[in-house]
Amino acid sequence: KQEVTQIPAALSVPEGENLVLNCSFTDSAIYNLQWFRQDPGKGLTSLLLIQSSQREQTSGRLNASLDKSSGRSTLYIAASQPGDSATYLCAVSYTGGFKTIFGAGTRLFVKA
Amino acid sequence: NAGVTQTPKFQVLKTGQSMTLQCAQDMNHNSMYWYRQDPGMGLRLIYYSASEGTTDKGEVPNGYNVSRLNKREFSLRLESAAPSQTSVYFCASSDRTIYSNQPQHFGDGTRLSIL
């Protein structure tokens, strides 16, 4: 069964700290992997998309890596800010990109 | 610059009632999706439409039907609502083909409670 797991479920860090969120998936035959941000009561905002052939993507203070052989992805957030507080979701797409499996998310709180 | 618009935002139904959730996107995307989000379980795909005129089942299709009315609109219907369908429903769209690999854009969700 295709599953996506995110650890930890929740994380609290002081402002300015660098942090890593983890995502693991059971089926390595992925089409792509995405990281999303979700604010309370809101929809999801796409942060980074890594295609199957890529190893990493960067956007500002965010860097996402992909290791298909080990079934893992990490989202690195540099110099965290209180505005980064949100739930971060990892999503893996299969079968031409239409079948998407989401992890349960990591709830991040950055303390000022 | 609306993106993906879902209506209604909130709804309370009684068991056995029917209703249709509406979704429209203004980005000219070819693919659209319906997900449900339950506490601690992440989002699960209900149905998707790869292109206008086609629909396919996702992970949890039972109890739901969909219609891709045109390229812009993709509706989700609950024929006979059950308490287990209490959830937050998200619609998404993307410019996705076998040659294109673009991220999904999400609406703000419909919070549905079934008593």
PDB file of all heavy atoms in Angstrom, chain B residues 39-64:
ATOM      1  N   PRO B  39      -9.071  14.931  10.603  1.00  0.00           N
ATOM      2  CA  PRO B  39      -8.007  15.135  11.603  1.00  0.00           C
ATOM      3  C   PRO B  39      -7.063  13.953  11.676  1.00  0.00           C
ATOM      4  O   PRO B  39      -7.494  12.805  11.785  1.00  0.00           O
ATOM      5  CB  PRO B  39      -8.802  15.309  12.899  1.00  0.00           C
ATOM      6  CG  PRO B  39     -10.129  15.828  12.466  1.00  0.00           C
ATOM      7  CD  PRO B  39     -10.408  15.148  11.152  1.00  0.00           C
ATOM      8  N   GLY B  40      -5.760  14.251  11.603  1.00  0.00           N
ATOM      9  CA  GLY B  40      -4.741  13.216  11.760  1.00  0.00           C
ATOM     10  C   GLY B  40      -4.558  12.294  10.565  1.00  0.00           C
ATOM     11  O   GLY B  40      -3.745  11.377  10.634  1.00  0.00           O
ATOM     12  N   MET B  41      -5.287  12.525   9.471  1.00  0.00           N
ATOM     13  CA  MET B  41      -5.215  11.590   8.352  1.00  0.00           C
ATOM     14  C   MET B  41      -4.719  12.221   7.065  1.00  0.00           C
ATOM     15  O   MET B  41      -4.648  11.564   6.045  1.00  0.00           O
ATOM     16  CB  MET B  41      -6.584  10.950   8.102  1.00  0.00           C
ATOM     17  CG  MET B  41      -7.075  10.105   9.240  1.00  0.00           C
ATOM     18  SD  MET B  41      -8.575   9.223   8.823  1.00  0.00           S
ATOM     19  CE  MET B  41      -7.943   8.053   7.629  1.00  0.00           C
ATOM     20  N   GLY B  42      -4.415  13.508   7.088  1.00  0.00           N
ATOM     21  CA  GLY B  42      -3.993  14.146   5.848  1.00  0.00           C
ATOM     22  C   GLY B  42      -5.140  14.242   4.864  1.00  0.00           C
ATOM     23  O   GLY B  42      -6.297  13.958   5.189  1.00  0.00           O
ATOM     24  N   LEU B  43      -4.857  14.603   3.647  1.00  0.00           N
ATOM     25  CA  LEU B  43      -5.870  14.700   2.604  1.00  0.00           C
ATOM     26  C   LEU B  43      -5.960  13.386   1.845  1.00  0.00           C
ATOM     27  O   LEU B  43      -4.936  12.739   1.594  1.00  0.00           O
ATOM     28  CB  LEU B  43      -5.508  15.811   1.601  1.00  0.00           C
ATOM     29  CG  LEU B  43      -5.852  17.231   2.004  1.00  0.00           C
ATOM     30  CD1 LEU B  43      -4.839  17.751   3.008  1.00  0.00           C
ATOM     31  CD2 LEU B  43      -5.882  18.128   0.769  1.00  0.00           C
ATOM     32  N   ARG B  44      -7.163  12.995   1.488  1.00  0.00           N
ATOM     33  CA  ARG B  44      -7.378  11.795   0.682  1.00  0.00           C
ATOM     34  C   ARG B  44      -8.165  12.153  -0.571  1.00  0.00           C
ATOM     35  O   ARG B  44      -9.157  12.876  -0.501  1.00  0.00           O
ATOM     36  CB  ARG B  44      -8.121  10.735   1.506  1.00  0.00           C
ATOM     37  CG  ARG B  44      -7.288  10.154   2.639  1.00  0.00           C
ATOM     38  CD  ARG B  44      -8.058   9.100   3.398  1.00  0.00           C
ATOM     39  NE  ARG B  44      -9.182   9.680   4.146  1.00  0.00           N
ATOM     40  CZ  ARG B  44     -10.118   8.964   4.747  1.00  0.00           C
ATOM     41  NH1 ARG B  44     -10.110   7.640   4.661  1.00  0.00           N
ATOM     42  NH2 ARG B  44     -11.083   9.548   5.423  1.00  0.00           N
ATOM     43  N   LEU B  45      -7.698  11.616  -1.697  1.00  0.00           N
ATOM     44  CA  LEU B  45      -8.290  11.927  -2.990  1.00  0.00           C
ATOM     45  C   LEU B  45      -9.609  11.189  -3.162  1.00  0.00           C
ATOM     46  O   LEU B  45      -9.670   9.964  -3.018  1.00  0.00           O
ATOM     47  CB  LEU B  45      -7.314  11.548  -4.105  1.00  0.00           C
ATOM     48  CG  LEU B  45      -7.733  11.843  -5.533  1.00  0.00           C
ATOM     49  CD1 LEU B  45      -7.873  13.351  -5.755  1.00  0.00           C
ATOM     50  CD2 LEU B  45      -6.714  11.260  -6.510  1.00  0.00           C
ATOM     51  N   ILE B  46     -10.672  11.932  -3.480  1.00  0.00           N
ATOM     52  CA  ILE B  46     -11.988  11.328  -3.675  1.00  0.00           C
ATOM     53  C   ILE B  46     -12.180  10.979  -5.158  1.00  0.00           C
ATOM     54  O   ILE B  46     -12.432   9.831  -5.524  1.00  0.00           O
ATOM     55  CB  ILE B  46     -13.106  12.283  -3.212  1.00  0.00           C
ATOM     56  CG1 ILE B  46     -12.893  12.706  -1.756  1.00  0.00           C
ATOM     57  CG2 ILE B  46     -14.478  11.610  -3.363  1.00  0.00           C
ATOM     58  CD1 ILE B  46     -13.830  13.802  -1.296  1.00  0.00           C
ATOM     59  N   TYR B  47     -12.088  11.982  -6.005  1.00  0.00           N
ATOM     60  CA  TYR B  47     -12.190  11.841  -7.452  1.00  0.00           C
ATOM     61  C   TYR B  47     -11.269  12.862  -8.091  1.00  0.00           C
ATOM     62  O   TYR B  47     -10.940  13.881  -7.487  1.00  0.00           O
ATOM     63  CB  TYR B  47     -13.619  12.132  -7.941  1.00  0.00           C
ATOM     64  CG  TYR B  47     -14.559  10.954  -7.974  1.00  0.00           C
ATOM     65  CD1 TYR B  47     -15.378  10.681  -6.880  1.00  0.00           C
ATOM     66  CD2 TYR B  47     -14.661  10.139  -9.098  1.00  0.00           C
ATOM     67  CE1 TYR B  47     -16.260   9.609  -6.899  1.00  0.00           C
ATOM     68  CE2 TYR B  47     -15.550   9.061  -9.123  1.00  0.00           C
ATOM     69  CZ  TYR B  47     -16.345   8.809  -8.018  1.00  0.00           C
ATOM     70  OH  TYR B  47     -17.224   7.749  -8.049  1.00  0.00           O
ATOM     71  N   TYR B  48     -10.898  12.591  -9.328  1.00  0.00           N
ATOM     72  CA  TYR B  48     -10.187  13.590 -10.098  1.00  0.00           C
ATOM     73  C   TYR B  48     -10.673  13.575 -11.540  1.00  0.00           C
ATOM     74  O   TYR B  48     -11.292  12.602 -11.992  1.00  0.00           O
ATOM     75  CB  TYR B  48      -8.666  13.386 -10.027  1.00  0.00           C
ATOM     76  CG  TYR B  48      -8.140  12.139 -10.707  1.00  0.00           C
ATOM     77  CD1 TYR B  48      -7.718  12.167 -12.035  1.00  0.00           C
ATOM     78  CD2 TYR B  48      -8.027  10.946 -10.000  1.00  0.00           C
ATOM     79  CE1 TYR B  48      -7.215  11.032 -12.645  1.00  0.00           C
ATOM     80  CE2 TYR B  48      -7.527   9.803 -10.610  1.00  0.00           C
ATOM     81  CZ  TYR B  48      -7.116   9.853 -11.929  1.00  0.00           C
ATOM     82  OH  TYR B  48      -6.628   8.726 -12.532  1.00  0.00           O
ATOM     83  N   SER B  49     -10.391  14.680 -12.210  1.00  0.00           N
ATOM     84  CA  SER B  49     -10.732  14.818 -13.619  1.00  0.00           C
ATOM     85  C   SER B  49      -9.465  15.255 -14.337  1.00  0.00           C
ATOM     86  O   SER B  49      -9.001  16.377 -14.173  1.00  0.00           O
ATOM     87  CB  SER B  49     -11.829  15.859 -13.806  1.00  0.00           C
ATOM     88  OG  SER B  49     -12.025  16.139 -15.179  1.00  0.00           O
ATOM     89  N   ALA B  50      -8.892  14.347 -15.111  1.00  0.00           N
ATOM     90  CA  ALA B  50      -7.633  14.651 -15.791  1.00  0.00           C
ATOM     91  C   ALA B  50      -7.819  15.715 -16.871  1.00  0.00           C
ATOM     92  O   ALA B  50      -6.909  16.503 -17.135  1.00  0.00           O
ATOM     93  CB  ALA B  50      -7.044  13.387 -16.397  1.00  0.00           C
ATOM     94  N   SER B  51      -8.986  15.722 -17.476  1.00  0.00           N
ATOM     95  CA  SER B  51      -9.280  16.712 -18.511  1.00  0.00           C
ATOM     96  C   SER B  51     -10.788  16.833 -18.640  1.00  0.00           C
ATOM     97  O   SER B  51     -11.538  15.988 -18.120  1.00  0.00           O
ATOM     98  CB  SER B  51      -8.657  16.311 -19.843  1.00  0.00           C
ATOM     99  OG  SER B  51      -9.181  15.071 -20.274  1.00  0.00           O
ATOM    100  N   GLU B  52     -11.235  17.858 -19.324  1.00  0.00           N
ATOM    101  CA  GLU B  52     -12.667  18.074 -19.510  1.00  0.00           C
ATOM    102  C   GLU B  52     -13.290  16.837 -20.153  1.00  0.00           C
ATOM    103  O   GLU B  52     -12.772  16.315 -21.131  1.00  0.00           O
ATOM    104  CB  GLU B  52     -12.886  19.294 -20.400  1.00  0.00           C
ATOM    105  CG  GLU B  52     -14.326  19.687 -20.577  1.00  0.00           C
ATOM    106  CD  GLU B  52     -14.469  20.931 -21.445  1.00  0.00           C
ATOM    107  OE1 GLU B  52     -13.429  21.500 -21.843  1.00  0.00           O
ATOM    108  OE2 GLU B  52     -15.609  21.319 -21.729  1.00  0.00           O
ATOM    109  N   GLY B  53     -14.379  16.351 -19.547  1.00  0.00           N
ATOM    110  CA  GLY B  53     -15.073  15.203 -20.099  1.00  0.00           C
ATOM    111  C   GLY B  53     -14.661  13.877 -19.504  1.00  0.00           C
ATOM    112  O   GLY B  53     -15.255  12.841 -19.826  1.00  0.00           O
ATOM    113  N   THR B  54     -13.661  13.873 -18.623  1.00  0.00           N
ATOM    114  CA  THR B  54     -13.227  12.617 -17.995  1.00  0.00           C
ATOM    115  C   THR B  54     -13.202  12.767 -16.483  1.00  0.00           C
ATOM    116  O   THR B  54     -12.892  13.831 -15.955  1.00  0.00           O
ATOM    117  CB  THR B  54     -11.817  12.207 -18.448  1.00  0.00           C
ATOM    118  OG1 THR B  54     -10.868  13.123 -17.899  1.00  0.00           O
ATOM    119  CG2 THR B  54     -11.696  12.200 -19.957  1.00  0.00           C
ATOM    120  N   THR B  55     -13.578  11.684 -15.790  1.00  0.00           N
ATOM    121  CA  THR B  55     -13.458  11.634 -14.338  1.00  0.00           C
ATOM    122  C   THR B  55     -12.993  10.235 -13.937  1.00  0.00           C
ATOM    123  O   THR B  55     -13.292   9.253 -14.635  1.00  0.00           O
ATOM    124  CB  THR B  55     -14.790  11.941 -13.626  1.00  0.00           C
ATOM    125  OG1 THR B  55     -15.765  10.973 -14.010  1.00  0.00           O
ATOM    126  CG2 THR B  55     -15.298  13.334 -13.968  1.00  0.00           C
ATOM    127  N   ASP B  56     -12.255  10.162 -12.813  1.00  0.00           N
ATOM    128  CA  ASP B  56     -11.764   8.874 -12.328  1.00  0.00           C
ATOM    129  C   ASP B  56     -11.800   8.839 -10.814  1.00  0.00           C
ATOM    130  O   ASP B  56     -11.672   9.879 -10.156  1.00  0.00           O
ATOM    131  CB  ASP B  56     -10.328   8.635 -12.800  1.00  0.00           C
ATOM    132  CG  ASP B  56     -10.264   8.241 -14.253  1.00  0.00           C
ATOM    133  OD1 ASP B  56     -10.597   7.076 -14.552  1.00  0.00           O
ATOM    134  OD2 ASP B  56      -9.911   9.098 -15.072  1.00  0.00           O
ATOM    135  N   LYS B  57     -11.953   7.620 -10.272  1.00  0.00           N
ATOM    136  CA  LYS B  57     -12.007   7.450  -8.828  1.00  0.00           C
ATOM    137  C   LYS B  57     -10.621   7.623  -8.213  1.00  0.00           C
ATOM    138  O   LYS B  57      -9.615   7.243  -8.804  1.00  0.00           O
ATOM    139  CB  LYS B  57     -12.543   6.059  -8.487  1.00  0.00           C
ATOM    140  CG  LYS B  57     -13.986   5.836  -8.918  1.00  0.00           C
ATOM    141  CD  LYS B  57     -14.434   4.424  -8.582  1.00  0.00           C
ATOM    142  CE  LYS B  57     -15.882   4.204  -9.006  1.00  0.00           C
ATOM    143  NZ  LYS B  57     -16.330   2.820  -8.711  1.00  0.00           N
ATOM    144  N   GLY B  58     -10.644   8.183  -7.015  1.00  0.00           N
ATOM    145  CA  GLY B  58      -9.437   8.275  -6.228  1.00  0.00           C
ATOM    146  C   GLY B  58      -9.416   7.216  -5.150  1.00  0.00           C
ATOM    147  O   GLY B  58      -9.909   6.101  -5.348  1.00  0.00           O
ATOM    148  N   GLU B  59      -8.909   7.578  -4.001  1.00  0.00           N
ATOM    149  CA  GLU B  59      -8.724   6.627  -2.905  1.00  0.00           C
ATOM    150  C   GLU B  59     -10.016   6.306  -2.164  1.00  0.00           C
ATOM    151  O   GLU B  59     -10.234   5.177  -1.710  1.00  0.00           O
ATOM    152  CB  GLU B  59      -7.698   7.209  -1.928  1.00  0.00           C
ATOM    153  CG  GLU B  59      -7.290   6.304  -0.780  1.00  0.00           C
ATOM    154  CD  GLU B  59      -6.281   6.991   0.146  1.00  0.00           C
ATOM    155  OE1 GLU B  59      -5.865   8.135  -0.159  1.00  0.00           O
ATOM    156  OE2 GLU B  59      -5.919   6.399   1.163  1.00  0.00           O
ATOM    157  N   VAL B  60     -10.918   7.310  -2.013  1.00  0.00           N
ATOM    158  CA  VAL B  60     -12.127   7.134  -1.204  1.00  0.00           C
ATOM    159  C   VAL B  60     -13.374   7.625  -1.944  1.00  0.00           C
ATOM    160  O   VAL B  60     -14.022   8.573  -1.517  1.00  0.00           O
ATOM    161  CB  VAL B  60     -11.975   7.850   0.162  1.00  0.00           C
ATOM    162  CG1 VAL B  60     -11.005   7.125   1.052  1.00  0.00           C
ATOM    163  CG2 VAL B  60     -11.538   9.307  -0.025  1.00  0.00           C
ATOM    164  N   PRO B  61     -13.783   6.984  -3.044  1.00  0.00           N
ATOM    165  CA  PRO B  61     -14.897   7.483  -3.858  1.00  0.00           C
ATOM    166  C   PRO B  61     -16.294   7.096  -3.374  1.00  0.00           C
ATOM    167  O   PRO B  61     -17.286   7.702  -3.815  1.00  0.00           O
ATOM    168  CB  PRO B  61     -14.621   6.845  -5.214  1.00  0.00           C
ATOM    169  CG  PRO B  61     -13.967   5.543  -4.860  1.00  0.00           C
ATOM    170  CD  PRO B  61     -13.122   5.827  -3.645  1.00  0.00           C
ATOM    171  N   ASN B  62     -16.397   6.109  -2.487  1.00  0.00           N
ATOM    172  CA  ASN B  62     -17.719   5.595  -2.121  1.00  0.00           C
ATOM    173  C   ASN B  62     -18.564   6.667  -1.451  1.00  0.00           C
ATOM    174  O   ASN B  62     -18.131   7.331  -0.516  1.00  0.00           O
ATOM    175  CB  ASN B  62     -17.574   4.388  -1.198  1.00  0.00           C
ATOM    176  CG  ASN B  62     -16.990   3.189  -1.926  1.00  0.00           C
ATOM    177  OD1 ASN B  62     -16.958   3.160  -3.156  1.00  0.00           O
ATOM    178  ND2 ASN B  62     -16.505   2.218  -1.183  1.00  0.00           N
ATOM    179  N   GLY B  63     -19.812   6.796  -1.932  1.00  0.00           N
ATOM    180  CA  GLY B  63     -20.741   7.768  -1.368  1.00  0.00           C
ATOM    181  C   GLY B  63     -20.724   9.112  -2.067  1.00  0.00           C
ATOM    182  O   GLY B  63     -21.478  10.011  -1.680  1.00  0.00           O
ATOM    183  N   TYR B  64     -19.899   9.240  -3.091  1.00  0.00           N
ATOM    184  CA  TYR B  64     -19.748  10.510  -3.816  1.00  0.00           C
ATOM    185  C   TYR B  64     -19.920  10.305  -5.315  1.00  0.00           C
ATOM    186  O   TYR B  64     -19.639   9.232  -5.839  1.00  0.00           O
ATOM    187  CB  TYR B  64     -18.364  11.108  -3.577  1.00  0.00           C
ATOM    188  CG  TYR B  64     -17.989  11.309  -2.141  1.00  0.00           C
ATOM    189  CD1 TYR B  64     -17.237  10.346  -1.465  1.00  0.00           C
ATOM    190  CD2 TYR B  64     -18.367  12.465  -1.460  1.00  0.00           C
ATOM    191  CE1 TYR B  64     -16.880  10.527  -0.141  1.00  0.00           C
ATOM    192  CE2 TYR B  64     -17.998  12.649  -0.133  1.00  0.00           C
ATOM    193  CZ  TYR B  64     -17.253  11.677   0.510  1.00  0.00           C
ATOM    194  OH  TYR B  64     -16.897  11.868   1.820  1.00  0.00           O
TER     195      TYR B  64
END
